[in-house]
Amino acid sequence: AAHSAWALPLVAALQLAIYFWYASRRGPLRPYSPVGGPRTWELELFAPFPGCEEVIRERREVWRFWTYQWVHEGWEHVGSNVLLELAFGLPLEIAHGGLRALAVLQGGVVAGGLACAVFDVDRGVVGASGGCYALLGAHVAVLATHWRRHRRGLLNRVVKVVFLAVFAAADVFATADRGAATIGAAPTSGTSYSAHVGGLLGGFLLAVAVLGRRPAPDARHGAKRRAAAVVVLAVALAAAVAWLSTTKDARDVPWLYPDANDWDHESCCMKLARCGGNARPGLACRDRTDVLVDGIFVAADCGELRE
């Protein structure tokens, strides 16, 4: 039986209301600015330069892993996320119910935030794209586990596979195009695709665990799949929490900065730390190769000082 859709429209309405309420008080509304939402809701592992303190580990502001979905940067950002949530989420909600669809969406938000915290340490993240990709992952899971049920109809399995493939190809192209356009930019700019991947995988596993039930002849295999999904989710969550709790210095994480002299991909905070500077009031970034220390620029190689 079809369920009434209320959960995803409610989330979308709240995201729009929060964005326009805050953004309208910060200046003219543009496609990519201003940021709409409280600063304390944004997900960031490090506070902005020059403070650079570890927000999650030192301040214990763990709510950011969930609240970053309510903050967006520009009306195009919030509009695209809301459209994706409704396009991917409403069919799931109608088929499986509001609470289950909401669980996938919100679980994907957290999964995307944790993935970003592990793989994009010095990148700030706002927006609900982790949840959007969780809904996409849920469609993949439903299609994979109910393959025979989608043989006929307007939205049959061939149509869905083609749509998912086109969407994935478009996202990969956008990733490459945006990456080429932001070469040399600070790592805090652009899009965190770790949040996308984390949300996608989290949504896939959550969908296997909570969406629907298999027919009686396949009930045993369905129960095994759900149990396996729950175990993988629990292990991934435990690993992410352990990493965040025990990693003392993000500069030592090998997959972030394998080359200590890779200045083009380090934030100003990282550069200053490698040059032996101390984060304190009065420090500011000039560009991607220099750090300003009380009016004196430290060259990118930590060598001579220059004005």
Side-chain angles (χ1 to χ4, degrees):
H3 299 267
S4 59
W6 59 269
L8 276 297
L10 177 61
V11 170
L14 286 174
Q15 288 170 344
L16 289 170
I18 290 171
Y19 172 76
F20 286 108
W21 173 267
Y22 282 93
S24 62
R25 287 158 174 75
R26 294 176 178 173
L29 300 181
R30 298 186 175 91
Y32 304 107
S33 66
V35 175
R39 184 60 187 268
T40 54
W41 288 8
E42 299 176 21
L43 176 60
E44 53 186 359
L45 270 291
F46 288 93
F49 196 84
C52 300
E53 68 267 24
E54 294 182 74
V55 173
I56 303 298
R57 206 163 65 89
E58 295 183 6
R59 297 186 190 172
R60 303 291 190 267
E61 297 179 3
V62 295
W63 62 80
R64 293 174 181 257
F65 287 111
W66 180 74
T67 58
Y68 77 95
Q69 69 174 307
W70 307 109
V71 184
H72 289 83
E73 190 170 4
W75 59 259
E76 183 177 293
H77 188 204
V78 66
S80 61
N81 277 346
V82 165
L83 287 176
L84 287 175
E85 282 177 346
L86 295 178
F88 292 146
L90 288 180
L92 289 175
E93 184 171 1
I94 292 171
H96 302 280
L99 292 180
R100 289 178 178 174
L102 191 63
V104 171
L105 175 67
Q106 298 304 312
V109 167
V110 176
L114 289 172
C116 182
V118 173
F119 295 104
D120 280 331
V121 169
D122 60 350
R123 184 187 297 276
V125 181
V126 295
S129 57
C132 295
Y133 276 79
L135 296 172
L136 176 63
H139 277 282
V140 176
V142 170
L143 188 61
T145 57
H146 297 73
W147 181 254
R148 292 182 180 179
R149 289 186 177 182
H150 294 83
R151 287 178 294 181
R152 300 176 182 178
L154 181 63
L155 296 178
N156 59 65
R157 59 195 185 189
V158 175
V159 173
K160 291 185 176 181
V161 168
V162 170
F163 173 79
L164 293 174
V166 170
F167 183 87
D171 191 58
V172 170
F173 176 80
T175 302
D177 183 63
R178 185 168 299 182
T182 56
I183 290 176
T188 50
S189 65
T191 303
S192 171
Y193 293 99
S194 295
H196 291 185
V197 175
L200 181 72
L201 296 177
F204 181 91
L205 293 170
L206 284 164
V208 173
V210 304
L211 291 187
R213 292 290 184 270
R214 296 288 290 171
D218 198 36
R220 181 178 301 177
H221 294 291
K224 289 181 179 179
R225 277 192 293 268
R226 289 192 293 273
V230 170
V231 170
V232 173
L233 283 169
V235 171
L237 177 62
V241 171
W243 187 91
L244 289 169
S245 302
T246 58
T247 302
K248 297 181 179 180
D249 194 335
R251 295 187 300 272
D252 296 330
V253 179
W255 60 78
L256 292 176
Y257 303 112
D259 184 356
N261 297 314
D262 188 9
W263 294 98
D264 287 349
H265 297 87
E266 288 208 14
S267 66
C268 293
C269 291
M270 296 295 188
K271 292 177 183 177
L272 181 64
R274 292 202 185 280
C275 290
N278 295 317
R280 60 184 186 280
L283 301 179
C285 290
R286 176 177 173 81
D287 56 37
R288 66 185 175 89
T289 59
D290 299 320
V291 174
L292 177 63
V293 183
D294 294 337
I296 299 177
F297 293 110
V298 180
D301 60 359
C302 297
E304 57 185 291
L305 298 179
R306 58 187 176 85
E307 294 182 357

